[in-house]
Amino acid sequence: MAYSKGRSGTAWAKLRARVFAEETDCWICGKWVDQELPRTHPMSRTVDHLVQLSHGGPPLERQNCRLAHRRCNGRRAERPGVRRKPKRWVSADVASL
């Protein structure tokens, strides 16, 4: 499987693990993410970039990454140029992470 620059290697794996450990809810729909689901399940966990990489978003900055359901992330990606506001933010102060 080919990945875009910034979404492979040790740095990406560490960032994904950090997002999975620190967040429990999908930033797009606001619902809980079952992190035990198989990765092919539509409601499984993914890391979504707030500012899409295609729009110049930094691929490995924690402030640009949030937990999302695979389905929510895919639907957001299908609508280029549309930025969604989260229904609710995580309680952690991301700037201090």
Side-chain angles (χ1 to χ4, degrees):
M1 175 183 288
Y3 289 99
S4 297
K5 183 178 179 182
R7 289 188 290 168
S8 64
T10 304
W12 174 244
K14 287 181 180 181
L15 179 57
R16 285 183 69 229
R18 185 174 174 191
V19 171
F20 293 156
E22 293 175 352
E23 299 184 25
T24 59
D25 298 329
C26 175
W27 84 274
I28 298 169
C29 73
K31 295 181 181 175
W32 178 73
V33 177
D34 182 348
Q35 297 198 35
E36 300 300 319
L37 291 172
R39 64 187 311 180
T40 57
H41 192 282
M43 298 306 281
S44 66
R45 66 187 186 176
T46 63
V47 173
D48 186 27
H49 290 88
L50 298 176
V51 179
Q52 296 174 357
L53 301 181
S54 62
H55 293 147
L60 297 174
E61 285 190 18
R62 175 62 179 97
Q63 295 86 351
N64 193 42
C65 295
R66 294 287 184 279
L67 180 67
H69 292 112
R70 181 169 301 284
R71 176 182 292 160
C72 295
N73 193 348
R75 286 182 178 165
R76 180 172 177 260
E78 291 170 2
R79 300 181 67 192
V82 176
R83 292 186 185 207
R84 292 189 181 191
K85 293 183 179 178
K87 294 199 176 180
R88 69 184 184 103
W89 289 94
V90 292
S91 60
D93 179 10
V94 178
S96 66
L97 299 175

